[in-house]
Amino acid sequence: MIDARGFPRFWDEERETLDPAQRDKIVLGRIQHQLAYVYAELPFYRTLYDEHGFHPDQVRSLEDFTTRVPVITKKMLVADQAAHPPFGSYSRPVPAGEIARIHGSSGTSGVPTLYAVSRTDWERAGEVHAMAQWCAGVRPDDIVQVGFPFGLFFGGWGVVQGAERIGATLFPIGVTDSEKQLELITRLGSTVFSATPSYCIHLLSVAARMGIDLRASTIRHLLVGGEPGGSLPGTRKIIEDGWGATVADAGSTSEMYPFQTSVGCTAGTGTHLFTDEVYTEVVDAADRNVAVPVGERGAVVYTHLWRDSQPMIRFAPGDESYLATDPCPCGRTYPRLPEGVLGRLDDMLVIRGANVFPSAVETALRTVPELGPEFRMLVQKIGALDELTVQAELPDNAGPQAAAIVARTEEALKRVVGIRVPVQLLAPGTLPETTFKARRVVDER
């Protein structure tokens, strides 16, 4: 199959369009292989499994895998690395000459969690990133401008891997001032831009101040990630309409990198899960050994099927989402997260008995076109109750319409969140501009 630009429609057509039942057989075989491997070779997993009375031989189906295998968490990994530096006892000892990359993520203590990637794993991950970016619309004739930071964080490096494997022209500018970012898009004629969704929205405001119409720019695809929001319909629409380009949400976590877990396709139906690379489950948030039906919200759990240098088996990052398995117009048969990752379960606020996620607040706010791109959620304890106030910016010319806009915003929040949430409108520029990941919750309790 050939696309409109004369390139193959798929990066690996046989793999991407495989019958799901056949793919599940491959997945089960890899799960059994990984379980046997980590139990025999990695002390962290052997100790954990023995403590839970689990043995890899007990897994004969995907259902067994969900119901029998204990999950691991970031807290457990941090503790294990502290006890077994530098990479923990869940990492295969890799000779220095065989380590391709060391990356990591910062912890609450300020001590980074380190991830060592073997050359074999790094090479395989490059192929997965290429498949993901091809799914998102990236082709060899593109100029890919990367607005993610390059450092300890894995994110920007995954875009580099995929773009280079595809053969696209790569411009890894990283984080710079927003005006320069936009000027260089115009100067180079960049056709793909990659950053967080909140930064893409922020650049719309910067472009307006500079008199730049991004809809007339050369950008035709936006590859977003690093935070929830890129698959939320309202947020995606704002970005696509403002840039005149398609948006593809690319999902993963530091622990699952260098492998891409999911990516959006040009059909805009959510993010396709590469379950034959990173097996993804959606389970009960209260009990990670209980699956939830397709379409029901729950906790996301990830498993590396091929990584051996530091594999994550049933890693629970604390994210929430839901699955879809209906056919996608793009032709790929991978399951999907229709709205990507909705948010972190530990970001959930309980306000007057209702569960409130920042992603739900964002969904509501994006239906009010007069509001600016930035917002924050102010949480305070008033008496014995936790109360939430949403603060958003309003253009200077709102004038007498402000009261009506507040009413419409509060109505949208009640419709989406389920409770009345008061709204405060602020002058433009009051809230910090987002240049990487947005920080939406201010907890003053």
Side-chain angles (χ1 to χ4, degrees):
M1 294 183 180
I2 303 299
D3 65 19
R5 289 159 64 185
F7 294 103
R9 187 172 167 188
F10 301 97
W11 179 257
D12 186 339
E13 183 171 357
E14 181 179 0
R15 178 179 181 179
E16 295 173 67
T17 61
L18 190 66
D19 178 82
Q22 185 63 34
R23 183 182 292 122
D24 283 348
K25 292 179 182 178
I26 296 171
V27 169
L28 178 60
R30 291 306 306 175
I31 283 174
Q32 292 169 330
H33 169 89
Q34 289 289 76
L35 287 171
Y37 162 63
V38 301
Y39 188 77
E41 302 293 337
L42 306 181
F44 171 83
Y45 285 104
R46 177 184 282 270
T47 300
L48 175 67
Y49 293 168
D50 286 348
E51 288 175 350
H52 284 78
F54 168 74
H55 190 276
D57 290 346
Q58 296 172 0
V59 173
R60 297 184 175 87
S61 66
L62 294 179
E63 182 182 5
D64 288 341
F65 182 63
T66 297
T67 59
R68 294 177 180 271
V69 182
V71 298
I72 61 174
T73 64
K74 178 68 173 285
K75 184 177 180 179
M76 295 164 66
L77 301 180
V78 170
D80 186 66
Q81 280 201 0
H84 306 281
F87 303 118
S89 66
Y90 56 92
S91 177
R92 174 174 67 85
V94 181
E98 294 181 22
I99 296 176
R101 290 293 186 107
I102 298 173
H103 284 274
S105 60
S106 59
T108 54
S109 66
V111 178
T113 306
L114 297 175
Y115 306 108
V117 186
S118 70
R119 296 193 184 282
T120 301
D121 284 341
W122 189 257
E123 281 299 308
R124 184 176 182 92
E127 184 72 8
V128 179
H129 280 284
M131 183 171 69
Q133 290 177 34
W134 197 275
C135 178
V138 181
R139 298 293 184 266
D141 60 352
D142 277 311
I143 299 175
V144 181
Q145 184 166 325
V146 185
F148 281 107
F150 291 99
L152 196 64
F153 174 65
F154 261 124
W157 297 106
V159 182
V160 168
Q161 278 183 296
E164 289 185 335
R165 187 66 61 92
I166 285 172
T169 299
L170 181 70
F171 180 41
I173 184 174
V175 174
T176 185
D177 65 83
S178 300
E179 290 80 4
K180 182 177 290 185
Q181 197 81 256
L182 293 173
E183 288 168 0
L184 286 166
I185 286 174
T186 301
R187 183 176 174 185
L188 292 173
S190 301
T191 56
V192 177
F193 183 66
S194 185
T196 62
S198 54
Y199 187 53
C200 289
I201 291 176
H202 166 68
L203 287 179
L204 290 174
S205 298
V206 176
R209 292 201 301 266
M210 296 174 67
I212 296 173
D213 182 2
L214 285 175
R215 293 171 298 180
S217 77
T218 51
I219 296 294
R220 56 191 174 210
H221 295 296
L222 293 149
L223 187 64
V224 303
E227 64 182 10
S231 293
L232 296 175
T235 300
R236 189 178 71 243
K237 179 174 171 49
I238 286 175
I239 300 173
E240 289 186 333
D241 289 351
W243 285 76
T246 65
V247 170
D249 190 8
S252 197
T253 67
S254 294
E255 291 74 22
M256 302 316 296
Y257 264 111
F259 293 96
Q260 188 80 49
T261 60
S262 64
V263 73
C265 67
T266 53
T269 58
T271 62
H272 287 276
L273 295 164
F274 298 134
T275 51
D276 53 359
E277 198 70 43
V278 174
Y279 182 58
T280 302
E281 308 163 75
V282 177
V283 298
D284 191 312
D287 186 346
R288 264 66 165 189
N289 290 112
V290 176
V292 299
V294 170
E296 186 173 311
R297 291 167 69 139
V300 179
V301 175
Y302 297 117
T303 295
H304 281 130
L305 296 184
W306 297 88
R307 185 177 179 185
D308 70 348
S309 54
Q310 204 173 25
M312 302 293 160
I313 309 299
R314 297 210 78 222
F315 174 71
D319 291 338
E320 185 192 45
S321 192
Y322 64 99
L323 286 171
T325 56
D326 56 303
C328 179
C330 79
R332 291 171 179 83
T333 56
Y334 287 112
R336 304 187 314 283
L337 302 179
E339 296 183 83
V341 170
L342 297 170
R344 294 189 56 80
L345 290 162
D346 54 9
D347 284 343
M348 183 185 76
L349 302 169
V350 180
I351 306 296
R352 300 196 299 279
N355 296 338
V356 180
F357 287 89
S359 60
V361 171
E362 179 171 356
T363 295
L365 295 182
R366 299 308 184 206
T367 66
V368 183
E370 294 91 346
L371 298 178
E374 305 295 346
F375 71 93
R376 69 183 176 190
M377 301 164 60
L378 184 63
V379 187
Q380 300 169 304
K381 184 172 285 295
I382 300 176
L385 298 177
D386 293 334
E387 293 292 345
L388 170 66
T389 301
V390 170
Q391 298 176 322
E393 295 180 343
L394 194 64
D396 287 324
N397 59 1
Q401 299 179 13
I405 294 172
V406 166
R408 282 195 287 114
T409 304
E410 290 182 347
E411 181 182 348
L413 285 165
K414 185 174 183 180
R415 183 173 63 252
V416 175
V417 176
I419 60 172
R420 182 187 175 279
V421 178
V423 172
Q424 291 180 357
L425 296 182
L426 307 175
T430 303
L431 300 176
E433 294 183 339
T434 298
T435 57
F436 180 38
K437 292 187 180 185
R439 297 187 179 277
R440 301 299 192 191
V441 180
V442 177
D443 196 336
E444 296 185 346
R445 290 174 293 183

